[in-house]
Amino acid sequence: MRGPADRDRQADPATGVALALKGLSVKLGALREGRKAIVLVSEGYTAMLPPQMRDPIATMPGLGNPSRYNPMAGENNLAEERARNLAEFDLQTELQLVFDAANRSNTAIYAVDPRGLSTGEFDIADNIGMRQSQDALRSTLNSLQTLAENTDDRAIINRNDLAKGMAQIVRDSSAYYLLGYNSSETPQDNQVPSDSGSREAAGRAGARAQGLLGALRGRGGTSHGAAEGRGRRRK
């Protein structure tokens, strides 16, 4: 299993990015009302490096690492599987804190992977088996998808043409909708009915807005909506 030093060293990049994204989300949330967006250009985050890359001294690859030149190291290893599961849990905890802060601040995170289409995470020179390389690639892509989907937006991944993805981000951000609901019931004991409130939907001009309006009407209240921007339907 990996030691504490390995775990701390590998978690630093993801932890640093998580702190930066949380801080930026909070800052954007204080600027103005409405939906904000963060475009994160990243190759994603791996919860745990394969044994071949866990060098005791980063500046001296291979020194003191018996697995460095064994492409099958770590495969079908129960201890390795357990360590990877713990690392994945730590990574998901970090990401959870990020999209919780983003959602509270009404901020969407668009994740853009600049690598384009890829068959594996590591180069052949890294001497890592194809299975581990593909697993690591899936982990990095999943981390980007998790960030985007849990802040109600999209991840631009597995694309060689990033221009179309960036254009889609602009289209998604071009509309802002504010939906409000007033209950027809009379509040009692100075209590506001739990079904009254307002909802916001950004860049979702189609079924989601219609479904929300239908749900509000079904509760016996009146609804009103306001739209800013061009209101394009997401493709």
Side-chain angles (χ1 to χ4, degrees):
M1 293 181 69
R2 57 179 180 164
D6 292 322
R7 183 170 179 176
D8 291 342
R9 177 167 54 83
Q10 294 167 35
D12 282 344
T15 300
V17 172
L19 290 173
L21 288 173
K22 286 188 289 184
L24 182 56
S25 297
V26 172
K27 179 65 175 178
L28 289 175
L31 292 180
R32 63 179 179 85
E33 294 293 333
R35 191 72 160 166
K36 280 78 65 175
I38 296 174
V39 178
L40 172 67
V41 181
S42 171
E43 295 182 0
Y45 310 101
T46 301
M48 181 175 166
L49 292 173
Q52 297 88 336
M53 301 189 72
R54 294 184 215 148
D55 298 316
I57 305 176
T59 56
M60 303 180 69
L63 182 63
N65 183 357
S67 301
R68 181 67 181 183
Y69 302 105
N70 179 9
M72 304 302 293
E75 291 197 12
N76 301 318
N77 186 312
L78 184 58
E80 192 74 16
E81 292 284 344
R82 290 174 177 172
R84 186 178 297 109
N85 289 337
L86 289 174
E88 288 285 350
F89 178 80
D90 290 344
L91 178 60
Q92 291 302 316
T93 299
E94 292 287 344
L95 297 180
Q96 176 74 47
L97 295 174
V98 171
F99 51 73
D100 281 352
N103 289 328
R104 284 194 301 269
S105 301
N106 201 13
T107 300
I109 298 178
Y110 291 90
V112 180
D113 184 357
R115 293 174 296 186
L117 292 172
S118 179
T119 58
E121 175 68 10
F122 304 105
D123 295 330
I124 190 172
D126 293 324
N127 202 36
I128 297 173
M130 180 57 69
R131 177 183 173 185
Q132 291 188 76
S133 183
Q134 291 176 340
D135 287 345
L137 177 63
R138 281 192 293 270
S139 178
T140 60
L141 296 177
N142 287 341
S143 68
L144 296 177
Q145 286 182 313
T146 298
L147 275 173
E149 291 175 359
N150 283 278
T151 58
D152 205 23
D153 272 290
R154 67 178 70 226
I156 310 301
I157 58 176
N158 286 328
R159 297 188 185 187
N160 289 330
D161 184 4
L162 294 180
K164 292 182 179 179
M166 300 303 289
Q168 185 64 59
I169 292 176
V170 173
R171 287 194 294 270
D172 287 352
S173 302
S174 66
Y176 169 70
Y177 295 86
L178 177 62
L179 303 179
Y181 170 66
N182 296 324
S183 175
S184 59
E185 298 179 4
T186 303
Q188 298 178 358
D189 299 328
N190 296 322
Q191 297 292 325
V192 178
S194 59
D195 60 350
S196 64
S198 62
R199 301 285 183 89
E200 293 180 359
R204 305 292 186 270
R208 178 172 299 180
Q210 295 175 358
L212 179 57
L213 284 172
L216 293 177
R217 294 192 184 102
R219 293 185 181 180
T222 59
S223 61
H224 56 85
E228 299 174 2
R230 289 173 285 179
R232 294 182 177 177
R233 184 180 300 272
R234 180 175 176 180
K235 296 180 180 179

